[in-house]
Amino acid sequence: MTQPQKDRPWLIRTYAGHSTAKASNALYRSNLSKGQTGLSVAFDLPTQTGYDSDHVLARGEVGKVGVPVCHLGDMRTLFDQIPLEQMNTSMTINATAPWLLALYVAVAEEQGADVSKLQGTVQNDLIKEYLSRGTYICPPKPSLKMIADVAEYCYENVPKWNPMNVCSYHLQEAGATPEQELAFALATAQAVLDELKPRVPAEDFPAMVGRISFFVNAGIRFVTEMCKMRAFVELWDEICETRYGVADPKFRRFRYGVQVNSLGLTEQQPENNVYRILIEMLAVTLSKKARARAVQLPAWNEALGLPRPWDQQWSMRMQQILAYETDLLEYGDLFDGNPAVDAKVAALKDGARAELDNLDGMGGAVASIEYMKSRLVDANAERLNRIERYETIVVGVNKWTEGEPSPLETEDGGIMTVDPAVEQEQIARLDEWRGGRDSNAVKEALAALRETARSGGNIMGPSIRAAKAGVTTGEWAEEMRQAFGTYRGPTGVSRSVSNKTEGLEDLRSQVDAVSDKLGRRLKFLVGKPGLDGHSNGAEQIAFRARDCGMDISYDGIRMTPEEIVAAAIEDDAHVVGLSILSGSHLPLVEEVMQRMRDEGLGHIPVVVGGIIPDEDAEKLKAVGVAKIYTPKDFELNSIMADIVSLADPNQIAA
């Protein structure tokens, strides 16, 4: 009997990067030695949003959610002793994708690599940044142009590189339904391909289509998620053939990587997250026709904070056991001909096509950003409503909440913390870099970059030259801001009076009563200080507060403490809410509190939400924060009741 031929395993990755380039390099080399087969680089928020580590907006954010990369020296250190010609590297970078790719190419050339052999991906998807993640810089149209610049450069110079990774991952994290995730991601891909088509000869366009890849999410509803992936495969094949005339099936292949869902990971009973991660991984591995090309898994404790190396190793071992110990890769697709699967795939495709037609009618993805954002906020609100109404059961959260303490949460709190000294050390290295470079070469490189950006040329060539001249991330991004302008995305939260009052009658009455005492409508200001673009929590708090009858003020992400305090003065706020999920809560909240006291606003209650360890919560209370909420506080109505109570002048007087 002939032994069946086994499929190759998917690329096994962990999403990693923290503190410094040197520390991240050590982590990468350690993970590779443990059997990881590809790198997935996490950059810190200043790097993602185009600021150097010493910029005012970078305060408290350096090295927190990823590695800071300010210049060629940082990138050189990040990949020290890692031969880039032999590596498959995924860089989760969007607004500054042209710059980080330029730095990567420059380091590869220093290593003596043949650039044409480099393999990897830059995410480079700005539309989902406007909708869900918030690390955009420039407006949509010039951003789309820069995405095309990268794709054109890669096609001509780095043919094995994926120049754009359509990212539906954060759409699901923002609450997207499967149909919305399918439609919004495919609409994004269409917008990019429409931008690219005039740039290349018609005979070369199919091959360029073949380099577009996707990065998706797999949630806990295993059957639905697996069917969603099969629907993605079929819809992409259909779009490539009918919309773009791609005849060769290999160029129509749906090529995707995945990180499974982090939205559903719980702070309560966090050890249960191991099972959630495994089940979610099965959705993108069991079905051969929908199997991911690369998989990266979160760690069990990501709802608590930054995973430790052991936690990441545990998630990597989960992949290795499935890929190498089981017989999964010895068989064809296990779900072909299954009537339940076929019916679900057909239903998802119908729903996605209807939404795609709707977006096409509005002028495509770029023209529909505000609409898509509002739909995501609505969908996320309904998701939370189902949990609060116990229609969706989340183990350990709204059912079976009693349990034994987790032995995995050891004396270090079960997470890794970044030393606050890292920021000043990084700034010192940045100062040293600036002092040691050729200032004339930097000026000439920036002038060439400026001229190319303003004339409409491809920015990749001058970006690589700027990288080699010693230009910094902040300097590169500032040229893009000057050439193309900056942008503030829609919040998806309307300030108009809400008619969504079901189940909120008591709260609305309480808001009315307190508003009468205050002499005007209770004013609640929601602010997001710093660079954290994870806005789901802030949006849902503002959304529910509006539905409860409060007068809300929420201007979106990326506010300085000074701007938030100025808004509190202008709005005459009764309560201020701050949302920070990047781990920078201590310095940012402390600065807001100090500025409020300096402005005579020390009497205004401040509440804070985020991933906040108990030790940090005590420090925040010590500087005057009235209430602190973490992901375990899922009952929004309880939070609303707290806000009403804090605003009550009788309570304040007491």
Side-chain angles (χ1 to χ4, degrees):
M1 183 175 175
T2 305
Q3 188 73 15
Q5 184 175 355
K6 292 180 69 170
D7 292 333
R8 283 190 307 156
W10 51 89
L11 282 169
I12 296 174
R13 288 180 167 139
T14 52
Y15 181 53
H18 66 86
S19 303
T20 66
K22 185 175 181 180
S24 298
N25 171 262
L27 179 62
Y28 297 161
R29 287 191 287 117
S30 173
N31 284 346
L32 290 168
S33 72
K34 295 172 185 173
Q36 185 173 302
T37 53
L39 290 178
S40 182
V41 181
F43 297 98
D44 74 355
L45 287 174
T47 304
Q48 292 186 53
T49 50
Y51 295 106
D52 287 329
S53 296
D54 58 353
H55 192 278
V56 62
L57 277 170
R59 183 168 181 262
E61 306 279 16
V62 176
K64 285 284 173 60
V65 301
V67 57
V69 175
C70 292
H71 47 71
L72 183 62
D74 284 339
M75 190 66 103
R76 190 184 291 142
T77 301
L78 187 64
F79 293 108
D80 182 41
Q81 300 178 61
I82 299 175
L84 297 186
E85 190 175 310
Q86 301 169 30
M87 190 52 53
N88 190 305
T89 304
S90 171
M91 293 193 285
T92 303
I93 197 73
N94 294 284
T96 52
W99 176 242
L100 271 299
L101 180 59
L103 290 172
Y104 189 88
V105 168
V107 169
E109 289 181 348
E110 285 185 350
Q111 290 186 356
D114 179 348
V115 170
S116 68
K117 293 181 180 177
L118 295 179
Q119 296 186 65
T121 302
V122 278
Q123 194 164 95
N124 205 20
D125 177 356
L126 266 298
I127 291 178
K128 66 93 178 171
E129 294 298 321
Y130 304 131
L131 297 178
S132 52
R133 183 59 187 87
T135 67
Y136 51 78
I137 297 174
C138 298
K141 287 188 177 178
S143 294
L144 197 60
K145 185 261 180 194
M146 285 190 275
I147 292 171
D149 283 356
V150 172
E152 184 179 39
Y153 168 81
C154 289
Y155 178 73
E156 293 173 355
N157 299 279
V158 200
K160 295 182 179 180
W161 194 271
N162 300 317
M164 199 263 178
N165 199 222
V166 181
C167 180
S168 73
Y169 174 83
H170 285 105
L171 301 179
Q172 187 177 131
E173 296 292 294
T177 65
E179 293 85 353
Q180 288 170 341
E181 188 180 343
L182 286 162
F184 294 178
L186 292 168
T188 297
Q190 290 177 176
V192 171
L193 290 178
D194 289 349
E195 179 78 13
L196 277 170
K197 196 170 185 180
R199 290 196 177 210
V200 295
E203 63 271 19
D204 293 342
F205 185 66
M208 183 170 273
V209 172
R211 293 315 308 172
I212 300 295
S213 61
F214 291 76
F215 186 74
V216 306
N217 202 327
I220 195 64
R221 291 173 59 78
F222 159 72
V223 176
T224 298
E225 294 295 314
M226 186 264 292
C227 292
K228 180 190 75 181
M229 296 319 309
R230 293 171 73 98
F232 252 136
V233 169
E234 294 177 19
L235 286 168
W236 182 239
D237 183 79
E238 181 181 298
I239 288 168
C240 290
E241 185 171 22
T242 60
R243 185 182 177 104
Y244 297 109
V246 178
D248 190 336
K250 78 176 182 182
F251 294 139
R252 304 197 304 262
R253 189 179 303 139
F254 186 78
R255 300 162 55 253
Y256 84 100
V258 65
Q259 170 155 324
V260 305
N261 187 279
S262 293
L263 181 67
L265 302 184
T266 64
E267 181 182 6
Q268 305 93 317
Q269 301 178 17
E271 63 279 2
N272 295 341
N273 293 328
V274 173
Y275 303 128
R276 294 185 176 106
I277 293 165
L278 172 60
I279 292 166
E280 290 165 352
M281 178 175 64
L282 295 179
V284 292
T285 52
L286 286 188
S287 173
K288 183 175 179 177
K289 287 184 179 175
R291 186 170 295 149
R293 180 71 185 90
V295 178
Q296 60 191 45
L297 302 180
W300 68 278
N301 54 352
E302 285 197 18
L304 305 175
L306 190 65
R308 300 158 300 189
W310 182 88
D311 305 312
Q312 293 192 323
Q313 174 186 296
W314 200 18
S315 284
M316 183 165 61
R317 294 291 184 251
M318 195 182 297
Q319 293 200 56
Q320 290 167 328
I321 290 166
L322 181 65
Y324 295 102
E325 291 193 25
T326 77
D327 57 355
L328 172 66
L329 299 179
E330 296 173 12
Y331 294 91
D333 199 288
L334 307 178
F335 298 93
D336 279 352
N338 183 302
V341 169
D342 290 347
K344 184 64 176 176
V345 171
L348 289 171
K349 287 167 62 178
D350 288 345
R353 285 195 195 99
E355 188 67 272
L356 274 168
D357 288 344
N358 188 25
L359 296 174
D360 274 343
M362 296 180 185
V366 170
S368 308
I369 286 170
E370 195 161 338
Y371 162 79
M372 290 191 286
K373 178 67 175 179
S374 66
R375 292 281 289 149
L376 289 176
V377 173
D378 286 346
N380 205 16
E382 182 52 35
R383 180 188 69 84
L384 291 171
N385 284 337
R386 288 194 299 271
I387 294 172
E388 287 184 290
R389 294 192 300 257
Y390 300 94
E391 294 171 11
T392 296
I393 299 301
V394 183
V395 175
V397 173
N398 63 358
K399 196 162 186 177
W400 303 297
T401 56
E402 297 299 319
E404 298 297 323
S406 171
L408 296 174
E409 295 182 66
T410 53
E411 64 279 354
D412 61 3
I415 56 173
M416 185 174 72
T417 56
V418 175
D419 187 340
V422 159
E423 185 165 321
Q424 288 308 312
E425 292 168 2
Q426 173 68 11
I427 291 172
R429 283 190 295 272
L430 175 59
D431 289 340
E432 184 180 357
W433 176 267
R434 289 190 185 120
R437 62 189 183 172
D438 182 336
S439 59
N440 288 329
V442 170
K443 287 178 184 176
E444 290 172 7
L446 287 173
L449 181 64
R450 186 180 311 129
E451 174 58 30
T452 302
R454 292 179 178 175
S455 66
N458 190 312
I459 62 169
M460 280 305 301
S463 292
I464 294 170
R465 291 191 289 276
K468 294 176 179 178
V471 166
T472 68
T473 297
E475 290 166 342
W476 180 89
E478 186 57 29
E479 293 299 337
M480 299 304 106
R481 291 184 179 95
Q482 292 297 323
F484 303 125
T486 56
Y487 182 73
R488 286 200 69 80
T491 66
V493 182
S494 168
R495 295 190 187 184
S496 59
V497 177
S498 172
N499 59 3
K500 297 185 178 182
T501 61
E502 184 181 353
L504 301 177
E505 293 81 4
D506 288 347
L507 278 168
R508 290 176 68 89
S509 295
Q510 292 172 38
V511 171
D512 289 342
V514 168
S515 297
D516 289 342
K517 294 178 190 177
L518 293 167
R520 59 188 173 90
R521 183 59 43 182
L522 192 167
K523 184 72 176 186
F524 179 40
L525 169 69
V526 179
K528 280 196 66 61
L531 296 177
D532 173 34
H534 283 113
S535 57
N536 299 342
E539 289 159 2
Q540 292 308 315
I541 290 291
F543 196 93
R544 183 65 59 87
R546 181 204 65 182
D547 290 351
C548 289
M550 299 182 205
D551 180 8
I552 63 161
S553 177
Y554 173 56
D555 290 327
I557 64 171
R558 221 180 296 172
M559 307 288 285
T560 65
E562 185 178 12
E563 288 171 333
I564 289 171
V565 173
I569 295 170
E570 182 179 348
D571 292 344
D572 199 7
H574 295 115
V575 181
V576 172
L578 304 177
S579 171
I580 309 168
L581 285 95
S582 63
S584 57
H585 43 268
L586 286 179
L588 291 174
V589 173
E590 287 170 359
E591 184 177 348
V592 170
M593 299 299 289
Q594 184 60 53
R595 287 182 177 274
M596 289 185 68
R597 284 192 293 270
D598 293 345
E599 295 290 344
L601 305 180
H603 61 285
I604 298 178
V606 175
V607 300
V608 176
I611 301 174
I612 301 172
D614 291 342
E615 182 181 345
D616 288 357
E618 292 305 314
K619 293 177 182 176
L620 293 178
K621 289 175 184 175
V623 299
V625 172
K627 294 280 185 179
I628 294 166
Y629 303 101
T630 68
K632 68 177 181 293
D633 300 299
F634 72 96
E635 292 182 344
L636 297 188
N637 286 355
S638 295
I639 298 175
M640 295 301 112
D642 288 346
I643 292 166
V644 175
S645 179
L646 288 169
D648 189 334
N650 292 349
Q651 296 287 338
I652 295 170

